Amino acid sequence: MKKQLSLFIWAVAAFGMSPVFGATNSGMRGASTVDLTGGPAVRSQQEVNYKKYQMRTDGKTYESKDGKSLYYTQPSRRSDLYKAYDGASSSISIRTSRRETSRETAKRKYFLAHPFFQPAKGKFGSVTDLGYNMGSYDFDIQDPTLNMLSGKWDMGMFSIKEDFSYGITDTISLMAMARFDIAEYKFKWNDHSPTDKDDDTNLNLMGLGGQWRFVDNSQWIANLGLHFQHQRDLSNNFVLEAKGGYKYGRSTIYGIGRAWYVNFDGDVYGNGVTDQGQTMIIVYDTGHNAFYAEGGVGVFSVLDQDWTLNVEGMFSYYDWHNQLSLRAAIGWQPNDWVALNLYAKTNLYDSANDKTLDAYARRAGDAYYFDLGGAKLDNYHDTSFGLQAIFYF
């Protein structure tokens, strides 16, 4: 980006581009982070560290905070705490002699990967999630003086997330969560200029919550959850989740809805990279607050005594874009207290494609960002996969 930023500054001098003020404010899935399975959120955080200054655009002035950053927050892509056992039975045929008729005995098993699972009174649940999240999109800088400059934004994040829950009663549980991220963010340039990189390794998410399973009978199951999440140097999130399911044979067919109120630390969020003091940012939106929502359907099926399958389809509103995603997970549970769950999630559609967002750049030592005429997005991808180790004791 060294070459491109020199061109930006030259364009300012030659064509009188006006300086504008860059404020401060993730997160893929978190981003998610939903949750963000889709759930109360993954965050992908892109840090842009700079001193306090002012940048004006469209007659508005935003105030920056020292040491703060530019972010995009996306819900964590899963709600791993919110598993529940399924009331289905597996049959075991027992024959004691040739003269006795065979009989069936029912065995009830607590399936830890079930989307409605929560610990009973006095019990603990633990979900350790080792995940990898990828996000990318192509962009074209729209200022004609920059000779059709284009490139690709790319994010890769390895995360370790721990969700821990305790049953206050058989229907009410308390939860705590934390996530450690190792992330790298890149601007790759199509003119073969060196790739600009930034990274973030930190404990980036902590949270508390509660869940109430208010229906659980032979046919129906339903619960409500309320959670608070703090994302480091980014935002405070309040998440409301509701699920309801119908038990049919060895399956549970369910609907799910989530809503996030996100209070950002600053007033601008998007993607940005600072490399050797030079910065470029693509702005998603401005404002201290945002609202996210997800809604969808899923099915959880017991394949046999030890194996399960879970599939979810979700439509999501993430403030500046909408997304349709699909998540699938296969689980193995050899006994009542431990399970492994392998999952993957990807977007099938995203309205970010063909959107033109604001874009700015700043050279090392400068006090101002300069308007690059916008960045048109294409080929937006958001994928996550991982392994969950679930314990019940």
Side-chain angles (χ1 to χ4, degrees), residues 49-98:
N49 297 317
Y50 47 90
K51 298 296 184 181
K52 189 170 184 178
Y53 56 87
Q54 288 192 339
M55 178 170 82
R56 295 182 176 82
T57 178
D58 299 329
K60 296 180 180 179
T61 298
Y62 304 100
E63 182 178 357
S64 169
K65 298 178 182 178
D66 289 340
K68 294 299 180 183
S69 307
L70 191 79
Y71 309 96
Y72 169 52
T73 294
Q74 156 173 324
S76 3
R77 297 241 190 303
R78 64 185 188 78
S79 46
D80 303 292
L81 292 175
Y82 328 135
K83 316 288 185 201
Y85 67 84
D86 145 273
S89 321
S90 58
S91 297
I92 304 173
S93 179
I94 301 177
R95 183 175 180 181
T96 59
S97 73
R98 291 186 178 183

Side-chain angles (χ1 to χ4, degrees), residues 14 38 54 89 116 156 158 186 193 207 219 227 240 252 258 260 290 324 368:
Q54 288 192 339
S89 321
F116 290 81
F158 174 77
K186 301 177 183 177
S193 294
Q219 284 190 303
H227 319 283
L240 178 65
T252 303
R258 301 186 186 97
W260 286 261
L324 179 64
Y368 300 100

Side-chain angles (χ1 to χ4, degrees), residues 18-69:
S18 301
V20 289
F21 168 68
T24 62
N25 170 36
S26 106
M28 175 181 6
R29 199 70 357 295
S32 70
T33 12
V34 149
D35 341 57
L36 12 142
T37 59
V42 156
R43 144 195 183 260
S44 51
Q45 173 183 335
Q46 296 78 42
E47 296 214 354
V48 182
N49 297 317
Y50 47 90
K51 298 296 184 181
K52 189 170 184 178
Y53 56 87
Q54 288 192 339
M55 178 170 82
R56 295 182 176 82
T57 178
D58 299 329
K60 296 180 180 179
T61 298
Y62 304 100
E63 182 178 357
S64 169
K65 298 178 182 178
D66 289 340
K68 294 299 180 183
S69 307

